[in-house]
Amino acid sequence: MSKEEVFNRLREGIIGGDGQGTVAATEAGLAGNVPPLEMIDRMTEIMKEVGRKFEDGELFLPEMILAADTWKKAVAVLEPSLAAGGTQQKKAGRIVIGTVQSDIHDLGKNIVVAFLKTVGFDIMDLGNDVPSSKFITAAEEFQADIIGMSALLTTTMPYQKTVVEYLKTKNLRNKYKVIVGGGPVNQSWADEIGADAYARDAAAAAKLCLSLVKA
């Protein structure tokens, strides 16, 4: 199988949410000596295309979830080869991310994590129901550039504000960029609590985080 054939199958598999087919294409690429980093780069471009299609209404949330999950399966196949070859994707920055305290919803956050990885971020995923103080300690330990917080309930949104206020009390507010998201979250709320950015979906979050680290 030629390199272009591998790339075409990767695109069809990821956009179509075909995990088995995408893994097979990835394995075929490795067997055919297609450089793992080239496959990673191509899969990153494919996920960016998925993001654009989602924004344009060509793909819907379930399809984006399948695409992100398929991408992760393919990356898992490549990781041993990348590590063995000492090859690493160019890193955009470091992000600590999680769903805030008392909120156990993490599907949206997991999709955001997948998209952030595709554009080169190192991620510390704290999971869900994350105490406010843990965002700060994790950011310090991970030497993060950005703190990302998801809230899927109106009752847990105030914990996003708590983290921002906690950063201020620790004189750390200017050290980190803060991005917020989640079903009930909007730009007005982000402005009210003093966050740096609000993202309505995973594709927007990836773009915003890239702009935040460049700024």
Side-chain angles (χ1 to χ4, degrees):
M1 187 182 300
S2 71
K3 182 188 296 186
E4 284 307 312
E5 287 175 325
V6 169
F7 290 164
N8 288 335
R9 285 183 59 185
L10 287 174
R11 181 181 180 277
E12 291 172 2
I14 291 173
I15 294 177
D18 179 5
Q20 185 175 354
T22 303
V23 166
T26 306
E27 292 172 341
L30 290 174
N33 295 317
V34 178
L37 189 59
E38 286 190 30
M39 282 194 278
I40 284 281
D41 287 343
R42 182 57 62 97
M43 287 192 289
T44 297
E45 291 303 314
I46 294 166
M47 282 303 293
K48 289 178 181 177
E49 182 181 354
V50 168
R52 290 192 295 270
K53 287 180 177 293
F54 178 73
E55 290 179 334
D56 294 340
E58 296 179 42
L59 292 177
F60 300 99
L61 183 59
E63 295 166 310
M64 188 171 73
I65 292 171
L66 277 175
D69 185 60
T70 300
W71 174 85
K72 287 191 289 185
K73 289 176 181 177
V75 170
V77 173
L78 292 175
E79 282 176 347
S81 298
L82 291 168
T87 306
Q88 294 183 339
Q89 184 183 18
K90 183 179 179 181
K91 296 302 179 183
R94 290 177 163 236
I95 299 177
V96 164
I97 189 170
T99 304
V100 295
Q101 189 171 336
S102 299
D103 198 327
I104 62 171
H105 300 84
D106 62 4
L107 177 59
K109 183 265 298 174
N110 292 342
I111 299 172
V112 170
V113 168
F115 269 72
L116 289 171
K117 287 181 177 179
T118 68
V119 295
F121 282 100
D122 278 331
I123 305 291
M124 177 182 282
D125 186 353
L126 302 178
N128 55 38
D129 192 16
V130 181
S132 299
S133 60
K134 189 173 181 179
F135 282 99
I136 314 302
T137 56
E140 290 285 277
E141 292 170 3
F142 194 55
Q143 298 182 348
D145 303 294
I146 298 171
I147 295 173
M149 294 180 285
S150 175
L152 275 293
L153 301 170
T154 55
T155 54
T156 61
M157 286 171 58
Y159 286 111
Q160 293 181 328
K161 182 177 181 180
T162 299
V163 173
V164 175
E165 293 300 321
Y166 193 46
L167 283 169
K168 292 177 181 177
T169 63
K170 295 290 184 180
N171 294 317
L172 295 171
R173 181 62 189 90
N174 293 329
K175 186 175 181 180
Y176 303 104
K177 299 295 185 180
V178 176
I179 184 169
V180 295
V185 179
N186 55 36
Q187 186 63 55
S188 295
W189 172 249
D191 294 339
E192 180 181 332
I193 68 174
D196 294 290
Y198 153 72
R200 69 183 183 277
D201 56 51
K207 289 181 180 179
L208 282 168
C209 287
L210 284 172
S211 68
L212 288 173
V213 292
K214 287 178 182 178

